[in-house]
Amino acid sequence: MTKYSFVLFHKEVLPFLERVQELGMVDITRENKAVDEHSKEKFSLLERYASAEKALKALSESIPSKSISLTNDLDSLSSEELLQLAERAISDRENLSSDLKLLIRERDDAYQWGAFTKDDIDKITSLGYQMHFYIISESSYNPEWESQYIIHTLSVEGGKRYFVLLVQNNEELHFKYPESKFPANSYNSIDKVIESTKAKIDSTEDLLLALIARIDKIHSGAVAERANLELHLAGVSSVKEAEGTIAVMTGFSPADKRDELHEFFESTGVYFLEEKAKEEDNPPIKLKNNFFTRLFEPIGELYMLPKYGELDLTPYFAPFYMLFFGLCLGDIGYGIVLFTAGTIGRFKLPKMRGYMMLIQFLGIGAMLMPMLNGVFFGAKLQDIIPMPDSIKELFFSDIKMFWFAIIFGLFQIVVARLVNAIDSMIRKGWQHGMHNIGWSILIIWFSIIYAGTMLPDLVIPEYVSYIGYAGLAMIILFSSTEGNILKRVMKGAFSLYDITGIFGDMLSYIRLFGLGTAGGILGLVVNSVAMNMSGIPYVGWFFTGLMLLVGHTAVLLLNSLGAFVHPMRLTFVEFYKNAGFGGGGRAFRPLTKNEN
């Protein structure tokens, strides 16, 4: 990165920043939060845009599409006016939908009391009668009451009798059942309100559909407001000198843009200094990866970016992540499904092309790694495809998959240590990477020695032990590069305690075997249940196919979640720790009018 320091007269700040924004190549140091009332209002407005866009996208899936006539009137509105209209329409729809639910419930409660009007009630009351309403079970109703009271049955529904009992105003009623609440409105009058409410909902949904068709215009308004906010934050973040008449600001840009930017800043007439960015300047980070490792950048960003000057580990963890995902998913068939879904998604969802390509590569990993034990949709390839015994013996058993997961994990730890060693030697000096080379040697040496105890036929040459001792010496002598030789040796001896951490890291990789095996067992259970359904007369084939489809889809979704999360944990904890990753960098955010 190249660091630029600008000194401007206060009246030149805004025009200069507008030109920088047009260029879109310089990250002007600025706050990423509200710093005054204006920025608070802008942040609030952006939140409203984001909320409205999210709601409209959700409604686009729930509101049935239909031809609408209310379209042309909206074209003349600005993005913010469309936003306000969308907010009101979304709120109105929610309120009307809530009212409709209450009305339907009220109508259901009133239906058993029959149709009536307020005039009917008033007429009976004017005749000098009081009305008392009851709901009792049909078995509790006594027909003899009809000779004692003036009773009129309104309806009998679901084993309950709804009736009204009339008594004169000067009489007291002593009835053994509690009186029921009579609805304030008749069901037929509520029906009219329901129809009116439905019509209002339809009209509101027409408006929402018209707004959904203009969601790009609403989004463009959010982009413009974001650009204005960034411009404002860049202006207010500058350091004011000479009683506010001079503004000093800092910016960063990739070093390969230096010539182009130098010419541009010369043309502005602004006084500026350029120099190579240093770590203490806290410059932003812009990762540079090839098409394959760039796909895994979002995964690395879920944790944090490397600090400026720190090695980007994305190219080193990307291949491991792909293969670890395959081990955890543990099924060739599921890998084929993911690869196919990613391929279709690349064409159907061009805006998500990067994510779809990532799914494709994860699918490839899920096709490669399960080939070790031959699991295909929960079944073993060696069981469903006729093949010679010599080929069957090539597939790994469960115990071989267990050891493979551990060895693969140790390999990743060794790679992380070597990456750490080489990077430290380049940036700090050869002594700073020697202890990690020693740890790599020691891990490999321990692994070979352990293999020798488990495999009696394995002959380990004597010089292998000398290599192990050399690794041990490198750890003791170079774990600390400061102080006299005695202090260095003491610190090196204490650093051997890290062997417990490496042992713990190694055990973490057992999850690669566990998740893959669990997924295979679930697939096997789905197959077993489906085959049992095939015995159902006439429709057994249908339920077998349905069970296979639904069951394997559920297992694929469940396993994919675990296969995505656990390799990420191995990356962020085991790999990053052994590679000496510190992190804490901030992303490169050029001042631009377009979306970042």
mmCIF file of all heavy atoms in Angstrom, residues 65-90:
data_model
loop_
_atom_site.group_PDB
_atom_site.id
_atom_site.type_symbol
_atom_site.label_atom_id
_atom_site.label_comp_id
_atom_site.label_asym_id
_atom_site.label_seq_id
_atom_site.Cartn_x
_atom_site.Cartn_y
_atom_site.Cartn_z
ATOM 1 N N SER A 65 -47.879 -13.565 -7.677
ATOM 2 C CA SER A 65 -47.738 -12.614 -8.784
ATOM 3 C C SER A 65 -49.044 -12.506 -9.548
ATOM 4 O O SER A 65 -49.786 -13.472 -9.699
ATOM 5 C CB SER A 65 -46.621 -13.083 -9.727
ATOM 6 O OG SER A 65 -46.916 -14.362 -10.234
ATOM 7 N N LYS A 66 -49.354 -11.310 -9.999
ATOM 8 C CA LYS A 66 -50.581 -11.072 -10.772
ATOM 9 C C LYS A 66 -50.379 -9.793 -11.566
ATOM 10 O O LYS A 66 -49.473 -8.997 -11.288
ATOM 11 C CB LYS A 66 -51.782 -10.939 -9.835
ATOM 12 C CG LYS A 66 -51.580 -9.931 -8.728
ATOM 13 C CD LYS A 66 -52.716 -9.986 -7.727
ATOM 14 C CE LYS A 66 -52.440 -9.098 -6.527
ATOM 15 N NZ LYS A 66 -53.471 -9.148 -5.515
ATOM 16 N N SER A 67 -51.231 -9.620 -12.548
ATOM 17 C CA SER A 67 -51.127 -8.403 -13.354
ATOM 18 C C SER A 67 -51.672 -7.229 -12.560
ATOM 19 O O SER A 67 -52.721 -7.313 -11.925
ATOM 20 C CB SER A 67 -51.914 -8.570 -14.656
ATOM 21 O OG SER A 67 -53.267 -8.808 -14.355
ATOM 22 N N ILE A 68 -50.933 -6.135 -12.530
ATOM 23 C CA ILE A 68 -51.353 -4.961 -11.771
ATOM 24 C C ILE A 68 -51.392 -3.759 -12.701
ATOM 25 O O ILE A 68 -50.673 -3.682 -13.685
ATOM 26 C CB ILE A 68 -50.395 -4.695 -10.604
ATOM 27 C CG1 ILE A 68 -48.942 -4.658 -11.107
ATOM 28 C CG2 ILE A 68 -50.551 -5.729 -9.524
ATOM 29 C CD1 ILE A 68 -47.941 -4.333 -10.046
ATOM 30 N N SER A 69 -52.255 -2.815 -12.346
ATOM 31 C CA SER A 69 -52.395 -1.620 -13.176
ATOM 32 C C SER A 69 -51.680 -0.418 -12.590
ATOM 33 O O SER A 69 -51.373 0.533 -13.279
ATOM 34 C CB SER A 69 -53.880 -1.286 -13.362
ATOM 35 O OG SER A 69 -54.488 -1.123 -12.090
ATOM 36 N N LEU A 70 -51.418 -0.445 -11.263
ATOM 37 C CA LEU A 70 -50.809 0.700 -10.579
ATOM 38 C C LEU A 70 -49.295 0.653 -10.755
ATOM 39 O O LEU A 70 -48.567 0.098 -9.950
ATOM 40 C CB LEU A 70 -51.150 0.657 -9.086
ATOM 41 C CG LEU A 70 -50.655 1.827 -8.244
ATOM 42 C CD1 LEU A 70 -51.233 3.123 -8.725
ATOM 43 C CD2 LEU A 70 -51.008 1.588 -6.778
ATOM 44 N N THR A 71 -48.808 1.141 -11.863
ATOM 45 C CA THR A 71 -47.369 1.088 -12.122
ATOM 46 C C THR A 71 -46.805 2.437 -12.534
ATOM 47 O O THR A 71 -45.779 2.863 -12.027
ATOM 48 C CB THR A 71 -47.062 0.076 -13.242
ATOM 49 O OG1 THR A 71 -47.848 0.432 -14.383
ATOM 50 C CG2 THR A 71 -47.392 -1.332 -12.791
ATOM 51 N N ASN A 72 -47.481 3.122 -13.436
ATOM 52 C CA ASN A 72 -46.887 4.321 -14.024
ATOM 53 C C ASN A 72 -46.730 5.468 -13.028
ATOM 54 O O ASN A 72 -45.823 6.284 -13.148
ATOM 55 C CB ASN A 72 -47.731 4.796 -15.218
ATOM 56 C CG ASN A 72 -47.716 3.763 -16.335
ATOM 57 O OD1 ASN A 72 -46.737 3.040 -16.495
ATOM 58 N ND2 ASN A 72 -48.797 3.681 -17.067
ATOM 59 N N ASP A 73 -47.660 5.546 -12.039
ATOM 60 C CA ASP A 73 -47.622 6.659 -11.095
ATOM 61 C C ASP A 73 -46.345 6.658 -10.262
ATOM 62 O O ASP A 73 -45.982 7.690 -9.702
ATOM 63 C CB ASP A 73 -48.837 6.594 -10.161
ATOM 64 C CG ASP A 73 -50.134 6.801 -10.925
ATOM 65 O OD1 ASP A 73 -50.049 7.308 -12.058
ATOM 66 O OD2 ASP A 73 -51.193 6.458 -10.385
ATOM 67 N N LEU A 74 -45.687 5.525 -10.150
ATOM 68 C CA LEU A 74 -44.518 5.431 -9.266
ATOM 69 C C LEU A 74 -43.221 5.845 -9.955
ATOM 70 O O LEU A 74 -42.222 6.089 -9.296
ATOM 71 C CB LEU A 74 -44.368 3.997 -8.746
ATOM 72 C CG LEU A 74 -45.573 3.435 -7.987
ATOM 73 C CD1 LEU A 74 -45.283 2.015 -7.526
ATOM 74 C CD2 LEU A 74 -45.933 4.311 -6.797
ATOM 75 N N ASP A 75 -43.235 5.896 -11.272
ATOM 76 C CA ASP A 75 -41.993 6.161 -11.997
ATOM 77 C C ASP A 75 -41.437 7.555 -11.730
ATOM 78 O O ASP A 75 -40.239 7.782 -11.836
ATOM 79 C CB ASP A 75 -42.205 5.975 -13.503
ATOM 80 C CG ASP A 75 -42.410 4.515 -13.853
ATOM 81 O OD1 ASP A 75 -41.915 3.667 -13.082
ATOM 82 O OD2 ASP A 75 -43.062 4.235 -14.868
ATOM 83 N N SER A 76 -42.330 8.481 -11.408
ATOM 84 C CA SER A 76 -41.878 9.853 -11.190
ATOM 85 C C SER A 76 -41.346 10.084 -9.778
ATOM 86 O O SER A 76 -40.805 11.148 -9.493
ATOM 87 C CB SER A 76 -43.031 10.824 -11.458
ATOM 88 O OG SER A 76 -44.119 10.539 -10.592
ATOM 89 N N LEU A 77 -41.501 9.089 -8.898
ATOM 90 C CA LEU A 77 -41.064 9.262 -7.508
ATOM 91 C C LEU A 77 -39.565 9.045 -7.378
ATOM 92 O O LEU A 77 -38.969 8.239 -8.101
ATOM 93 C CB LEU A 77 -41.807 8.285 -6.598
ATOM 94 C CG LEU A 77 -43.332 8.430 -6.554
ATOM 95 C CD1 LEU A 77 -43.923 7.418 -5.587
ATOM 96 C CD2 LEU A 77 -43.743 9.840 -6.152
ATOM 97 N N SER A 78 -38.971 9.749 -6.416
ATOM 98 C CA SER A 78 -37.544 9.556 -6.141
ATOM 99 C C SER A 78 -37.351 8.280 -5.319
ATOM 100 O O SER A 78 -38.326 7.685 -4.828
ATOM 101 C CB SER A 78 -36.999 10.749 -5.363
ATOM 102 O OG SER A 78 -37.613 10.793 -4.080
ATOM 103 N N SER A 79 -36.093 7.876 -5.141
ATOM 104 C CA SER A 79 -35.801 6.658 -4.376
ATOM 105 C C SER A 79 -36.295 6.790 -2.943
ATOM 106 O O SER A 79 -36.857 5.849 -2.376
ATOM 107 C CB SER A 79 -34.293 6.390 -4.388
ATOM 108 O OG SER A 79 -33.849 6.159 -5.696
ATOM 109 N N GLU A 80 -36.101 7.965 -2.344
ATOM 110 C CA GLU A 80 -36.524 8.136 -0.950
ATOM 111 C C GLU A 80 -38.045 8.152 -0.841
ATOM 112 O O GLU A 80 -38.606 7.651 0.138
ATOM 113 C CB GLU A 80 -35.926 9.421 -0.378
ATOM 114 C CG GLU A 80 -36.136 9.542 1.123
ATOM 115 C CD GLU A 80 -35.244 10.579 1.761
ATOM 116 O OE1 GLU A 80 -34.323 11.058 1.075
ATOM 117 O OE2 GLU A 80 -35.454 10.894 2.948
ATOM 118 N N GLU A 81 -38.732 8.726 -1.854
ATOM 119 C CA GLU A 81 -40.201 8.705 -1.835
ATOM 120 C C GLU A 81 -40.714 7.283 -1.992
ATOM 121 O O GLU A 81 -41.697 6.885 -1.354
ATOM 122 C CB GLU A 81 -40.739 9.606 -2.948
ATOM 123 C CG GLU A 81 -40.547 11.092 -2.675
ATOM 124 C CD GLU A 81 -40.897 11.967 -3.862
ATOM 125 O OE1 GLU A 81 -40.790 11.479 -5.016
ATOM 126 O OE2 GLU A 81 -41.255 13.134 -3.659
ATOM 127 N N LEU A 82 -40.025 6.489 -2.831
ATOM 128 C CA LEU A 82 -40.402 5.075 -2.959
ATOM 129 C C LEU A 82 -40.175 4.346 -1.642
ATOM 130 O O LEU A 82 -40.957 3.468 -1.259
ATOM 131 C CB LEU A 82 -39.577 4.424 -4.073
ATOM 132 C CG LEU A 82 -39.942 4.797 -5.513
ATOM 133 C CD1 LEU A 82 -38.965 4.152 -6.496
ATOM 134 C CD2 LEU A 82 -41.367 4.355 -5.849
ATOM 135 N N LEU A 83 -39.073 4.709 -0.959
ATOM 136 C CA LEU A 83 -38.790 4.085 0.338
ATOM 137 C C LEU A 83 -39.917 4.376 1.325
ATOM 138 O O LEU A 83 -40.418 3.471 2.004
ATOM 139 C CB LEU A 83 -37.456 4.608 0.879
ATOM 140 C CG LEU A 83 -37.167 4.282 2.347
ATOM 141 C CD1 LEU A 83 -36.964 2.777 2.529
ATOM 142 C CD2 LEU A 83 -35.933 5.037 2.839
ATOM 143 N N GLN A 84 -40.332 5.646 1.411
ATOM 144 C CA GLN A 84 -41.403 6.019 2.345
ATOM 145 C C GLN A 84 -42.698 5.304 1.997
ATOM 146 O O GLN A 84 -43.420 4.814 2.872
ATOM 147 C CB GLN A 84 -41.601 7.539 2.312
ATOM 148 C CG GLN A 84 -40.415 8.313 2.862
ATOM 149 C CD GLN A 84 -40.497 9.795 2.591
ATOM 150 O OE1 GLN A 84 -41.402 10.247 1.894
ATOM 151 N NE2 GLN A 84 -39.539 10.556 3.108
ATOM 152 N N LEU A 85 -42.983 5.212 0.679
ATOM 153 C CA LEU A 85 -44.202 4.526 0.242
ATOM 154 C C LEU A 85 -44.136 3.041 0.599
ATOM 155 O O LEU A 85 -45.125 2.443 1.051
ATOM 156 C CB LEU A 85 -44.352 4.704 -1.274
ATOM 157 C CG LEU A 85 -45.716 4.375 -1.873
ATOM 158 C CD1 LEU A 85 -46.809 5.220 -1.232
ATOM 159 C CD2 LEU A 85 -45.696 4.575 -3.385
ATOM 160 N N ALA A 86 -42.956 2.453 0.417
ATOM 161 C CA ALA A 86 -42.780 1.036 0.744
ATOM 162 C C ALA A 86 -42.948 0.798 2.238
ATOM 163 O O ALA A 86 -43.597 -0.174 2.648
ATOM 164 C CB ALA A 86 -41.395 0.564 0.283
ATOM 165 N N GLU A 87 -42.392 1.679 3.041
ATOM 166 C CA GLU A 87 -42.527 1.511 4.499
ATOM 167 C C GLU A 87 -43.992 1.566 4.922
ATOM 168 O O GLU A 87 -44.446 0.758 5.744
ATOM 169 C CB GLU A 87 -41.717 2.595 5.212
ATOM 170 C CG GLU A 87 -40.210 2.402 5.112
ATOM 171 C CD GLU A 87 -39.430 3.541 5.744
ATOM 172 O OE1 GLU A 87 -39.907 4.687 5.700
ATOM 173 O OE2 GLU A 87 -38.336 3.288 6.259
ATOM 174 N N ARG A 88 -44.737 2.529 4.344
ATOM 175 C CA ARG A 88 -46.157 2.626 4.704
ATOM 176 C C ARG A 88 -46.922 1.394 4.225
ATOM 177 O O ARG A 88 -47.759 0.844 4.952
ATOM 178 C CB ARG A 88 -46.766 3.886 4.072
ATOM 179 C CG ARG A 88 -46.393 5.178 4.776
ATOM 180 C CD ARG A 88 -47.367 6.297 4.420
ATOM 181 N NE ARG A 88 -47.349 6.579 2.991
ATOM 182 C CZ ARG A 88 -46.538 7.459 2.414
ATOM 183 N NH1 ARG A 88 -45.655 8.122 3.161
ATOM 184 N NH2 ARG A 88 -46.581 7.679 1.123
ATOM 185 N N ALA A 89 -46.634 0.941 3.000
ATOM 186 C CA ALA A 89 -47.354 -0.214 2.453
ATOM 187 C C ALA A 89 -47.044 -1.475 3.254
ATOM 188 O O ALA A 89 -47.944 -2.292 3.524
ATOM 189 C CB ALA A 89 -46.968 -0.403 0.983
ATOM 190 N N ILE A 90 -45.795 -1.638 3.630
ATOM 191 C CA ILE A 90 -45.424 -2.822 4.419
ATOM 192 C C ILE A 90 -46.122 -2.800 5.774
ATOM 193 O O ILE A 90 -46.661 -3.803 6.242
ATOM 194 C CB ILE A 90 -43.886 -2.865 4.598
ATOM 195 C CG1 ILE A 90 -43.211 -3.137 3.250
ATOM 196 C CG2 ILE A 90 -43.487 -3.932 5.607
ATOM 197 C CD1 ILE A 90 -41.715 -2.886 3.260
#
